[in-house]
C-alpha cells in the first residue's frame, strides 16, 4: 500500500520534531550527541576498547576474515561493474531483461509507510555490522580508532568508524585494503546468514525467481499453484469453505500453476466449477459457484484475492511459516545487506570501492597516474550508475516502493 506523496514527508517532519524534543529533554548533548535541524550525530570516543574486546574473542578468525575480504572486495567490485554494464546493454538490446535500478531514499523512493518502517529497522543493523567490521580489522592491523558512531541526516542513516588518519596512512598497503574491504564483506556474510533463514519460507522463492531463476531452481521446486490471500465474504469460494492460505492447483480439468494460468481460466457467472486445492499439504476438491464481478457482471470470478506470486515449495525437508511482518523484516535485512555490500564496492567516491583501488595502486604508480586512475574509475562508477538510473526512469518512470 502506497500512501500519498505528502504522507511520508509529514511523517518525517513529525519524527524529527519528536527526535529533537526527546534529545533536548534527555540532554543528550552531554552524552556525545550533536543535535542540529534534521541532523543527529553521535560519537563514542571509547569505541576502540570495545573493538579490542571483540577482537580478543577470536583473533585468528578475524585474521582469516580480513584476508578473505581482500579477495571478496575485488569480486564484489567486478560483479557490481559487470552487472551495471550488462544491465545497460540489456536496456538497448533486450529491454525485457533490463532490471530497474534506483537508490533507496526514505521519503523519496521509499514512500510506503510499512516499507519505510522495515527500512528504518533493518538499515541500522546493516550499518553497525559494516562499521564494526571496519573497526575490528583496523585494530587487528594496530591502527588506532579515534571514535565510532552514527548520524541521521533527514531520513538517511550513516554509521562511521574513524581510524587515526596518520596511522592509517602509515599502515602497510595490505592492512589498508583489509580494513577497507571488511565492511562490504561483513554485509555479504550477513546477507548469507539471513538468506539461510529465509530459504525455508516458500515466499522467498518468488524473490529468487525475480533475481535468478537458476538460483531459485536449486532451492525451490517449480510452481504448483496459486495461494489464496483473502476469500471475499459471501462469494462462491466462501460458501464452498475456501480459506486464506489454500493453494489453488486446478479448476475443473485445467491445471493452475501460476497466477497467469488462473487468469486464463474462463469462468461463466452462475456455473459450478470444481476447484482443486492444497490445504496444509493435503489435496482437497471444492465445488464453487461462480459469481459475476461487480464492475462487469459478465465476467466470472470464484471470489478470492490471490497472491501475485505462485506457490513454489522449498526443496528442504521442512519450512518455516514466518509471520508476514517477520518475513518482511528479514527480507529487507537480506536485501539491504546484500545490495549495500555490493554497491559499496563500486569504484566511486565516497564509497569503499574507490578507496580499495586507490590503496591497491598507492606507491606502485606515479602520483600523476594514480590521479588519472582515480578520475577514470570515478567516471566509470558514476557513469554506469547514472546511466542505469536514467534508463530505469525512461523505461518505468520514477520508481517508488
Amino acid at each position: 500500500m502506497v500512501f500519498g506523496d505528502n504522507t511520508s514527508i509529514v511523517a518525517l517532519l513529525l519524527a524529527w520534531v519528536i527526535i529533537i524534543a526527546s534529545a533536548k529533554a534527555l540532554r543528550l548533548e552531554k552524552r556525545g550527541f550533536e543535535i542540529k535541524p534534521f541532523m543527529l550525530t553521535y560519537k563514542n570516543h571509547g569505541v576502540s576498547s570495545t573493538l579490542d574486546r571483540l577482537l580478543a574473542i577470536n583473533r585468528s578468525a578475524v585474521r582469516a576474515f580480513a584476508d578473505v575480504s581482500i579477495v571478496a572486495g575485488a569480486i564484489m567490485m567486478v560483479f557490481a561493474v559487470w552487472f551495471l554494464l550488462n544491465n545497460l546493454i540489456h536496456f538497448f538490446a533486450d529491454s525485457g531483461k533490463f532490471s530497474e535500478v534506483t537508490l533507496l531514499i526514505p521519503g523519496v523512493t521509499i514512500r510506503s509507510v510499512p516499507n519505510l518502517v522495515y527500512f528504518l529497522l533493518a538499515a541500522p543493523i546493516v550499518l553497525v555490522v559494516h562499521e564494526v567490521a571496519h573497526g575490528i580489522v583496523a585494530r587487528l592491523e594496530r591502527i588506532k580508532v579515534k571514535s565510532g558512531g552514527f548520524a541521521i541526516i533527514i531520513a538517511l542513516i550513516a554509521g562511521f568508524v574513524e581510524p587515526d588518519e596518520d596511522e592509517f596512512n602509515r599502515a602497510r598497503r595490505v592492512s589498508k585494503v583489509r580494513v577497507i574491504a571488511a565492511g562490504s564483506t561483513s554485509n555479504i556474510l550477513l546477507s548469507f546468514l539471513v538468506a539461510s533463514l529465509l530459504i525455508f519460507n516458500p515466499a522467498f522463492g518468488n524473490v529468487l525467481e525475480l533475481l535468478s531463476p537458476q538460483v531459485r531452481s536449486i532451492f525451490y521446486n517449480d510452481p504448483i499453484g496459486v495461494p489464496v490471500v483473502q476469500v471475499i465474504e459471501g462469494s462462491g469460494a466462501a460458501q464452498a469453505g475456501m480459506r486464506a492460505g489454500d493453494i489453488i492447483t486446478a479448476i475443473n480439468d485445467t491445471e493452475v500453476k501460476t497466477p497467469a494460468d488462473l487468469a486464463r481460466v474462463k469462468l461463466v457467472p452462475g456455473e459450478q466449477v470444481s476447484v482443486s486445492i492444497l490445504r496444509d499439504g493435503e489435496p482437497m476438491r471444492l465445488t464453487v459457484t461462480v459469481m459475476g464481478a461487480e464492475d462487469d457482471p459478465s465476467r466470472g470470478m470464484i471470489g478470492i484475492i490471490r497472491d501475485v506470486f505462485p506457490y513454489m515449495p522449498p526443496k528442504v525437508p521442512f519450512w518455516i511459516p514466518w509471520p508476514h511482518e517477520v518475513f518482511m523484516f528479514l527480507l529487507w535485512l537480506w536485501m539491504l545487506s546484500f545490495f549495500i555490500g555490493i554497491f559499496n564496492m563500486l569504484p566511486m567516491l565516497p564509497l569503499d570501492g574507490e578507496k580499495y583501488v586507490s590503496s591497491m595502486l598507492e606507491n606502485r604508480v606515479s602520483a600523476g597516474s594514480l590521479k588519472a586512475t582515480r578520475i577514470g574509475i570515478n567516471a566509470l562508477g558514476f557513469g554506469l550508475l547514472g546511466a542505469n538510473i536514467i534508463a530505469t526512469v525512461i523505461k518505468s518512470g520514477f520508481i517508488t516502493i
Side-chain angles (χ1 to χ4, degrees):
M1 178 177 181
V2 179
F3 291 72
D5 290 354
N6 293 329
T7 303
S8 56
I9 296 174
V10 171
L12 286 174
L13 290 174
L14 180 60
W16 270 106
V17 170
I18 295 172
I19 289 172
I20 292 176
S22 301
K24 293 291 186 182
L26 296 172
R27 299 181 180 179
L28 294 183
E29 299 98 326
K30 297 182 178 180
R31 303 188 182 190
F33 286 84
E34 183 180 354
I35 305 165
K36 296 180 179 179
F38 299 106
M39 186 172 79
L40 178 70
T41 306
Y42 170 73
K43 280 189 177 183
N44 184 334
H45 295 280
V47 70
S48 187
S49 59
T50 302
L51 293 172
D52 285 342
R53 286 195 293 271
L54 291 174
L55 176 61
I57 294 173
N58 195 327
R59 180 179 289 268
S60 60
V62 176
R63 170 66 66 183
F65 166 77
D67 290 338
V68 168
S69 294
I70 297 176
V71 179
I75 293 173
M76 285 185 278
M77 183 183 300
V78 171
F79 176 79
V81 171
W82 170 84
F83 172 81
L84 292 176
L85 179 60
N86 191 55
N87 200 43
L88 205 56
I89 293 172
H90 284 323
F91 176 75
F92 294 102
D94 187 356
S95 61
K97 295 182 179 180
F98 176 79
S99 299
E100 286 81 2
V101 175
T102 190
L103 299 179
L104 295 178
I105 305 174
V108 180
T109 56
I110 306 177
R111 295 185 180 178
S112 161
V113 172
N115 284 338
L116 185 60
V117 171
Y118 291 127
F119 173 85
L120 294 176
L121 289 174
I125 298 174
V126 175
L127 293 174
V128 166
V129 168
H130 185 100
E131 296 302 327
V132 167
H134 280 315
I136 288 180
V137 176
R139 295 304 300 135
L140 176 74
E141 301 297 330
R142 294 182 172 82
I143 298 172
K144 181 181 178 182
V145 175
K146 294 193 298 184
S147 67
F150 65 87
I152 305 174
I153 306 170
I154 304 178
L156 299 178
I157 304 172
F160 59 87
V161 166
E162 283 186 296
D164 184 278
E165 190 172 344
D166 291 335
E167 290 191 11
F168 184 82
N169 290 334
R170 290 196 301 268
R172 298 176 303 158
R173 181 187 301 110
V174 68
S175 297
K176 294 179 183 178
V177 174
R178 284 179 180 139
V179 173
I180 292 166
S184 287
T185 303
S186 68
N187 288 146
I188 295 300
L189 292 178
L190 176 61
S191 75
F192 288 162
L193 174 62
V194 177
S196 69
L197 299 175
L198 288 170
I199 207 74
F200 293 99
N201 191 294
F204 191 55
N206 297 300
V207 178
L208 292 180
E209 179 72 14
L210 293 174
L211 297 175
S212 173
Q214 294 77 17
V215 173
R216 189 277 302 167
S217 65
I218 297 173
F219 299 101
Y220 294 84
N221 292 296
D222 291 333
I224 65 169
V226 177
V228 176
V229 175
Q230 182 180 339
V231 179
I232 299 173
E233 187 177 352
S235 66
Q239 294 172 7
M242 194 173 295
R243 305 174 187 171
D246 289 344
I247 311 295
I248 298 176
T249 58
I251 295 181
N252 290 333
D253 296 325
T254 303
E255 275 192 329
V256 173
K257 293 184 177 182
T258 67
D261 294 338
L262 183 59
R264 283 192 289 266
V265 176
K266 293 183 178 181
L267 301 171
V268 179
E271 73 171 341
Q272 289 189 328
V273 295
S274 176
V275 181
S276 299
I277 65 170
L278 286 175
R279 177 177 295 168
D280 298 327
E282 297 296 326
M284 298 177 61
R285 292 177 73 90
L286 303 175
T287 300
V288 178
T289 301
V290 178
M291 59 187 287
E294 288 187 9
D295 58 342
D296 182 6
S298 65
R299 180 170 61 87
M301 56 185 292
I302 60 176
I304 64 162
I305 296 176
R306 60 167 176 78
D307 199 333
V308 295
F309 296 113
Y311 175 77
M312 291 181 287
K315 291 182 178 179
V316 293
F318 64 93
W319 58 280
I320 304 173
W322 296 108
H324 176 73
E325 293 78 11
V326 174
F327 176 80
M328 289 303 299
F329 166 72
L330 291 174
L331 183 63
W332 270 92
L333 184 58
W334 169 79
M335 179 176 66
L336 289 177
S337 299
F338 183 80
F339 289 108
I340 286 178
I342 298 295
F343 174 77
N344 199 55
M345 288 308 297
L346 271 175
M348 53 184 275
L349 287 171
L351 305 180
D352 288 342
E354 201 272 353
K355 302 171 189 173
Y356 181 97
V357 175
S358 299
S359 296
M360 279 288 195
L361 296 178
E362 196 174 50
N363 299 326
R364 290 188 175 185
V365 299
S366 66
S369 296
L370 180 59
K371 182 178 180 180
T373 300
R374 295 184 67 180
I375 293 173
I377 62 175
N378 273 279
L380 175 66
F382 279 108
L384 286 176
L385 181 61
N388 272 268
I389 293 174
I390 292 171
T392 296
V393 174
I394 292 173
K395 180 183 178 183
S396 307
F398 186 71
I399 301 293
T400 61
I401 57 176

